[in-house]
């Protein structure tokens, strides 16, 4: 295994363990944070690359196999979200904290709402209001709070591969 992938794999295993062990124990009114979605979105911003889509697919599939929803919905949503977030982050990054957190929050809400739409479409949710208000909104807010903590930690421990981190000399005008 390449040494630059080691922190990503260790983080994925840690996110999987947190999802299995910690998430059910910190649920608030049946709203659980989804550590796997949080981790994929954070890696999409911190370490974009070709292994990102494999990570998104594997963690999404594990999430579906561990959960109660349709198998295949989460891998699809995570691959889509990671592609959009990594491209948007490359374009919008200005080395502030606001841009990654705003992108994370928007992507997290979209993933949770689309997952609820899958549940509604397949008839696994009681009603659209229940799925959106009692599942998507609280889970997205909870995952966003986890993401607010996870992004700075991932940025510190994983480093970054973004183009903005390469320091090049800028020409001076005289």
């Amino acid at each position: 295994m390449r040494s630059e992938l080691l922190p990503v794999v260790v983080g994925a295993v840690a996110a999987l363990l947190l999802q299995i062990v910690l998430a059910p124990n910190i649920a608030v009114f049946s709203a659980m944070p989804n550590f796997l979605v949080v981790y994929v979105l954070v890696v999409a911003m911190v370490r974009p690359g070709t292994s990102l889509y494999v990570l998104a697919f594997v963690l999404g599939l594990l999430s579906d196999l561990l959960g109660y929803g349709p198998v295949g919905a989460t891998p699809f949503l995570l691959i889509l979200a990671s592609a959009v977030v990594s491209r948007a982050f490359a374009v919008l990054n200005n080395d502030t904290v606001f841009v990654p957190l705003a992108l994370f929050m928007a992507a997290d809400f979209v993933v949770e709402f689309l997952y609820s739409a899958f549940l509604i479409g397949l008839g696994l949710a009681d009603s659209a209001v229940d799925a959106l208000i009692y599942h998507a909104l609280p889970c997205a807010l909870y995952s966003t709070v986890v993401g607010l903590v996870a992004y700075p930690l991932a940025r510190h421990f994983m480093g970054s591969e973004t183009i903005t981190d390469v320091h090049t000399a800028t020409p001076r005008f005289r």
Side-chain angles (χ1 to χ4, degrees), residues 115-138:
Y115 187 76
S116 292
F118 273 116
L119 293 178
I120 293 166
L122 293 173
L124 297 174
D126 293 334
S127 69
V129 174
D130 288 343
L132 294 176
I133 292 178
Y134 297 120
H135 173 72
L137 189 61

PDB file of all heavy atoms in Angstrom, residues 115-138:
ATOM      1  N   TYR A 115     -31.253  10.651   0.062  1.00  0.00           N
ATOM      2  CA  TYR A 115     -31.425   9.327   0.646  1.00  0.00           C
ATOM      3  C   TYR A 115     -32.857   9.158   1.147  1.00  0.00           C
ATOM      4  O   TYR A 115     -33.462   8.099   0.968  1.00  0.00           O
ATOM      5  CB  TYR A 115     -30.432   9.105   1.785  1.00  0.00           C
ATOM      6  CG  TYR A 115     -30.451   7.690   2.303  1.00  0.00           C
ATOM      7  CD1 TYR A 115     -29.847   6.661   1.586  1.00  0.00           C
ATOM      8  CD2 TYR A 115     -31.073   7.380   3.501  1.00  0.00           C
ATOM      9  CE1 TYR A 115     -29.866   5.368   2.055  1.00  0.00           C
ATOM     10  CE2 TYR A 115     -31.102   6.084   3.976  1.00  0.00           C
ATOM     11  CZ  TYR A 115     -30.491   5.081   3.244  1.00  0.00           C
ATOM     12  OH  TYR A 115     -30.517   3.795   3.705  1.00  0.00           O
ATOM     13  N   SER A 116     -33.407  10.202   1.754  1.00  0.00           N
ATOM     14  CA  SER A 116     -34.813  10.153   2.165  1.00  0.00           C
ATOM     15  C   SER A 116     -35.735  10.026   0.964  1.00  0.00           C
ATOM     16  O   SER A 116     -36.759   9.338   1.027  1.00  0.00           O
ATOM     17  CB  SER A 116     -35.185  11.397   2.967  1.00  0.00           C
ATOM     18  OG  SER A 116     -34.518  11.389   4.199  1.00  0.00           O
ATOM     19  N   ALA A 117     -35.387  10.664  -0.147  1.00  0.00           N
ATOM     20  CA  ALA A 117     -36.179  10.535  -1.359  1.00  0.00           C
ATOM     21  C   ALA A 117     -36.143   9.101  -1.886  1.00  0.00           C
ATOM     22  O   ALA A 117     -37.159   8.590  -2.377  1.00  0.00           O
ATOM     23  CB  ALA A 117     -35.682  11.505  -2.423  1.00  0.00           C
ATOM     24  N   PHE A 118     -34.982   8.451  -1.789  1.00  0.00           N
ATOM     25  CA  PHE A 118     -34.905   7.037  -2.157  1.00  0.00           C
ATOM     26  C   PHE A 118     -35.824   6.204  -1.270  1.00  0.00           C
ATOM     27  O   PHE A 118     -36.523   5.313  -1.748  1.00  0.00           O
ATOM     28  CB  PHE A 118     -33.473   6.509  -2.033  1.00  0.00           C
ATOM     29  CG  PHE A 118     -32.629   6.718  -3.248  1.00  0.00           C
ATOM     30  CD1 PHE A 118     -31.522   7.538  -3.199  1.00  0.00           C
ATOM     31  CD2 PHE A 118     -32.938   6.089  -4.452  1.00  0.00           C
ATOM     32  CE1 PHE A 118     -30.726   7.732  -4.308  1.00  0.00           C
ATOM     33  CE2 PHE A 118     -32.156   6.277  -5.570  1.00  0.00           C
ATOM     34  CZ  PHE A 118     -31.049   7.100  -5.502  1.00  0.00           C
ATOM     35  N   LEU A 119     -35.816   6.491   0.024  1.00  0.00           N
ATOM     36  CA  LEU A 119     -36.669   5.743   0.943  1.00  0.00           C
ATOM     37  C   LEU A 119     -38.145   5.954   0.628  1.00  0.00           C
ATOM     38  O   LEU A 119     -38.949   5.024   0.678  1.00  0.00           O
ATOM     39  CB  LEU A 119     -36.384   6.141   2.389  1.00  0.00           C
ATOM     40  CG  LEU A 119     -35.021   5.763   2.959  1.00  0.00           C
ATOM     41  CD1 LEU A 119     -34.886   6.276   4.383  1.00  0.00           C
ATOM     42  CD2 LEU A 119     -34.808   4.264   2.900  1.00  0.00           C
ATOM     43  N   ILE A 120     -38.507   7.182   0.297  1.00  0.00           N
ATOM     44  CA  ILE A 120     -39.899   7.482  -0.054  1.00  0.00           C
ATOM     45  C   ILE A 120     -40.273   6.786  -1.360  1.00  0.00           C
ATOM     46  O   ILE A 120     -41.339   6.184  -1.475  1.00  0.00           O
ATOM     47  CB  ILE A 120     -40.101   9.007  -0.170  1.00  0.00           C
ATOM     48  CG1 ILE A 120     -39.946   9.659   1.198  1.00  0.00           C
ATOM     49  CG2 ILE A 120     -41.468   9.331  -0.747  1.00  0.00           C
ATOM     50  CD1 ILE A 120     -39.789  11.162   1.131  1.00  0.00           C
ATOM     51  N   GLY A 121     -39.375   6.862  -2.343  1.00  0.00           N
ATOM     52  CA  GLY A 121     -39.655   6.257  -3.642  1.00  0.00           C
ATOM     53  C   GLY A 121     -39.804   4.746  -3.584  1.00  0.00           C
ATOM     54  O   GLY A 121     -40.572   4.158  -4.341  1.00  0.00           O
ATOM     55  N   LEU A 122     -39.086   4.103  -2.688  1.00  0.00           N
ATOM     56  CA  LEU A 122     -39.170   2.651  -2.568  1.00  0.00           C
ATOM     57  C   LEU A 122     -40.239   2.198  -1.588  1.00  0.00           C
ATOM     58  O   LEU A 122     -40.418   1.007  -1.364  1.00  0.00           O
ATOM     59  CB  LEU A 122     -37.813   2.085  -2.150  1.00  0.00           C
ATOM     60  CG  LEU A 122     -36.718   2.234  -3.203  1.00  0.00           C
ATOM     61  CD1 LEU A 122     -35.378   1.814  -2.636  1.00  0.00           C
ATOM     62  CD2 LEU A 122     -37.057   1.420  -4.440  1.00  0.00           C
ATOM     63  N   GLY A 123     -40.908   3.153  -0.972  1.00  0.00           N
ATOM     64  CA  GLY A 123     -41.981   2.808  -0.039  1.00  0.00           C
ATOM     65  C   GLY A 123     -41.499   2.366   1.328  1.00  0.00           C
ATOM     66  O   GLY A 123     -42.249   1.737   2.072  1.00  0.00           O
ATOM     67  N   LEU A 124     -40.250   2.678   1.676  1.00  0.00           N
ATOM     68  CA  LEU A 124     -39.708   2.290   2.973  1.00  0.00           C
ATOM     69  C   LEU A 124     -39.961   3.331   4.057  1.00  0.00           C
ATOM     70  O   LEU A 124     -39.729   3.063   5.220  1.00  0.00           O
ATOM     71  CB  LEU A 124     -38.201   2.019   2.856  1.00  0.00           C
ATOM     72  CG  LEU A 124     -37.830   0.868   1.928  1.00  0.00           C
ATOM     73  CD1 LEU A 124     -36.328   0.794   1.769  1.00  0.00           C
ATOM     74  CD2 LEU A 124     -38.396  -0.434   2.444  1.00  0.00           C
ATOM     75  N   ALA A 125     -40.413   4.511   3.675  1.00  0.00           N
ATOM     76  CA  ALA A 125     -40.729   5.559   4.640  1.00  0.00           C
ATOM     77  C   ALA A 125     -42.247   5.694   4.725  1.00  0.00           C
ATOM     78  O   ALA A 125     -42.967   5.443   3.761  1.00  0.00           O
ATOM     79  CB  ALA A 125     -40.109   6.883   4.219  1.00  0.00           C
ATOM     80  N   ASP A 126     -42.717   6.090   5.896  1.00  0.00           N
ATOM     81  CA  ASP A 126     -44.161   6.231   6.095  1.00  0.00           C
ATOM     82  C   ASP A 126     -44.744   7.325   5.215  1.00  0.00           C
ATOM     83  O   ASP A 126     -45.734   7.133   4.537  1.00  0.00           O
ATOM     84  CB  ASP A 126     -44.465   6.523   7.564  1.00  0.00           C
ATOM     85  CG  ASP A 126     -44.133   5.342   8.447  1.00  0.00           C
ATOM     86  OD1 ASP A 126     -44.143   4.197   7.939  1.00  0.00           O
ATOM     87  OD2 ASP A 126     -43.853   5.557   9.637  1.00  0.00           O
ATOM     88  N   SER A 127     -44.120   8.489   5.263  1.00  0.00           N
ATOM     89  CA  SER A 127     -44.590   9.595   4.426  1.00  0.00           C
ATOM     90  C   SER A 127     -43.413  10.506   4.122  1.00  0.00           C
ATOM     91  O   SER A 127     -42.351  10.410   4.740  1.00  0.00           O
ATOM     92  CB  SER A 127     -45.685  10.388   5.151  1.00  0.00           C
ATOM     93  OG  SER A 127     -45.144  11.095   6.240  1.00  0.00           O
ATOM     94  N   ALA A 128     -43.623  11.394   3.193  1.00  0.00           N
ATOM     95  CA  ALA A 128     -42.564  12.316   2.811  1.00  0.00           C
ATOM     96  C   ALA A 128     -42.214  13.261   3.953  1.00  0.00           C
ATOM     97  O   ALA A 128     -41.047  13.571   4.179  1.00  0.00           O
ATOM     98  CB  ALA A 128     -42.981  13.117   1.578  1.00  0.00           C
ATOM     99  N   VAL A 129     -43.217  13.692   4.687  1.00  0.00           N
ATOM    100  CA  VAL A 129     -42.976  14.605   5.803  1.00  0.00           C
ATOM    101  C   VAL A 129     -42.165  13.912   6.891  1.00  0.00           C
ATOM    102  O   VAL A 129     -41.209  14.485   7.422  1.00  0.00           O
ATOM    103  CB  VAL A 129     -44.323  15.128   6.363  1.00  0.00           C
ATOM    104  CG1 VAL A 129     -44.104  15.958   7.607  1.00  0.00           C
ATOM    105  CG2 VAL A 129     -45.053  15.929   5.307  1.00  0.00           C
ATOM    106  N   ASP A 130     -42.523  12.673   7.204  1.00  0.00           N
ATOM    107  CA  ASP A 130     -41.766  11.936   8.218  1.00  0.00           C
ATOM    108  C   ASP A 130     -40.320  11.721   7.799  1.00  0.00           C
ATOM    109  O   ASP A 130     -39.401  11.874   8.598  1.00  0.00           O
ATOM    110  CB  ASP A 130     -42.420  10.576   8.495  1.00  0.00           C
ATOM    111  CG  ASP A 130     -43.708  10.687   9.267  1.00  0.00           C
ATOM    112  OD1 ASP A 130     -43.945  11.759   9.873  1.00  0.00           O
ATOM    113  OD2 ASP A 130     -44.482   9.711   9.271  1.00  0.00           O
ATOM    114  N   ALA A 131     -40.116  11.340   6.540  1.00  0.00           N
ATOM    115  CA  ALA A 131     -38.767  11.068   6.067  1.00  0.00           C
ATOM    116  C   ALA A 131     -37.907  12.326   6.041  1.00  0.00           C
ATOM    117  O   ALA A 131     -36.727  12.279   6.407  1.00  0.00           O
ATOM    118  CB  ALA A 131     -38.812  10.442   4.681  1.00  0.00           C
ATOM    119  N   LEU A 132     -38.495  13.436   5.629  1.00  0.00           N
ATOM    120  CA  LEU A 132     -37.709  14.660   5.518  1.00  0.00           C
ATOM    121  C   LEU A 132     -37.520  15.365   6.854  1.00  0.00           C
ATOM    122  O   LEU A 132     -36.420  15.812   7.169  1.00  0.00           O
ATOM    123  CB  LEU A 132     -38.349  15.602   4.498  1.00  0.00           C
ATOM    124  CG  LEU A 132     -38.345  15.100   3.058  1.00  0.00           C
ATOM    125  CD1 LEU A 132     -39.093  16.062   2.165  1.00  0.00           C
ATOM    126  CD2 LEU A 132     -36.939  14.894   2.563  1.00  0.00           C
ATOM    127  N   ILE A 133     -38.582  15.466   7.633  1.00  0.00           N
ATOM    128  CA  ILE A 133     -38.490  16.232   8.879  1.00  0.00           C
ATOM    129  C   ILE A 133     -37.893  15.413  10.016  1.00  0.00           C
ATOM    130  O   ILE A 133     -37.102  15.919  10.803  1.00  0.00           O
ATOM    131  CB  ILE A 133     -39.865  16.804   9.263  1.00  0.00           C
ATOM    132  CG1 ILE A 133     -40.260  17.862   8.257  1.00  0.00           C
ATOM    133  CG2 ILE A 133     -39.836  17.394  10.659  1.00  0.00           C
ATOM    134  CD1 ILE A 133     -41.607  18.478   8.497  1.00  0.00           C
ATOM    135  N   TYR A 134     -38.260  14.141  10.097  1.00  0.00           N
ATOM    136  CA  TYR A 134     -37.809  13.346  11.230  1.00  0.00           C
ATOM    137  C   TYR A 134     -36.548  12.540  10.952  1.00  0.00           C
ATOM    138  O   TYR A 134     -35.961  11.994  11.875  1.00  0.00           O
ATOM    139  CB  TYR A 134     -38.920  12.408  11.699  1.00  0.00           C
ATOM    140  CG  TYR A 134     -40.115  13.150  12.203  1.00  0.00           C
ATOM    141  CD1 TYR A 134     -41.356  12.998  11.607  1.00  0.00           C
ATOM    142  CD2 TYR A 134     -40.001  14.043  13.270  1.00  0.00           C
ATOM    143  CE1 TYR A 134     -42.457  13.696  12.065  1.00  0.00           C
ATOM    144  CE2 TYR A 134     -41.085  14.749  13.730  1.00  0.00           C
ATOM    145  CZ  TYR A 134     -42.316  14.567  13.120  1.00  0.00           C
ATOM    146  OH  TYR A 134     -43.392  15.272  13.566  1.00  0.00           O
ATOM    147  N   HIS A 135     -36.137  12.437   9.687  1.00  0.00           N
ATOM    148  CA  HIS A 135     -34.903  11.714   9.397  1.00  0.00           C
ATOM    149  C   HIS A 135     -33.847  12.617   8.771  1.00  0.00           C
ATOM    150  O   HIS A 135     -32.760  12.766   9.307  1.00  0.00           O
ATOM    151  CB  HIS A 135     -35.168  10.526   8.461  1.00  0.00           C
ATOM    152  CG  HIS A 135     -33.912   9.864   8.000  1.00  0.00           C
ATOM    153  ND1 HIS A 135     -33.140   9.098   8.829  1.00  0.00           N
ATOM    154  CD2 HIS A 135     -33.275   9.890   6.805  1.00  0.00           C
ATOM    155  CE1 HIS A 135     -32.079   8.669   8.174  1.00  0.00           C
ATOM    156  NE2 HIS A 135     -32.154   9.138   6.937  1.00  0.00           N
ATOM    157  N   ALA A 136     -34.155  13.199   7.632  1.00  0.00           N
ATOM    158  CA  ALA A 136     -33.146  13.919   6.865  1.00  0.00           C
ATOM    159  C   ALA A 136     -32.627  15.156   7.580  1.00  0.00           C
ATOM    160  O   ALA A 136     -31.412  15.341   7.694  1.00  0.00           O
ATOM    161  CB  ALA A 136     -33.704  14.305   5.503  1.00  0.00           C
ATOM    162  N   LEU A 137     -33.489  15.982   8.042  1.00  0.00           N
ATOM    163  CA  LEU A 137     -33.066  17.230   8.675  1.00  0.00           C
ATOM    164  C   LEU A 137     -32.272  17.011   9.963  1.00  0.00           C
ATOM    165  O   LEU A 137     -31.161  17.543  10.096  1.00  0.00           O
ATOM    166  CB  LEU A 137     -34.274  18.140   8.913  1.00  0.00           C
ATOM    167  CG  LEU A 137     -33.974  19.558   9.368  1.00  0.00           C
ATOM    168  CD1 LEU A 137     -33.146  20.282   8.327  1.00  0.00           C
ATOM    169  CD2 LEU A 137     -35.262  20.302   9.626  1.00  0.00           C
ATOM    170  N   PRO A 138     -32.754  16.220  10.927  1.00  0.00           N
ATOM    171  CA  PRO A 138     -31.956  16.030  12.146  1.00  0.00           C
ATOM    172  C   PRO A 138     -30.641  15.294  11.900  1.00  0.00           C
ATOM    173  O   PRO A 138     -29.613  15.667  12.483  1.00  0.00           O
ATOM    174  CB  PRO A 138     -32.859  15.200  13.052  1.00  0.00           C
ATOM    175  CG  PRO A 138     -34.200  15.272  12.498  1.00  0.00           C
ATOM    176  CD  PRO A 138     -34.062  15.588  11.058  1.00  0.00           C
TER     177      PRO A 138
END
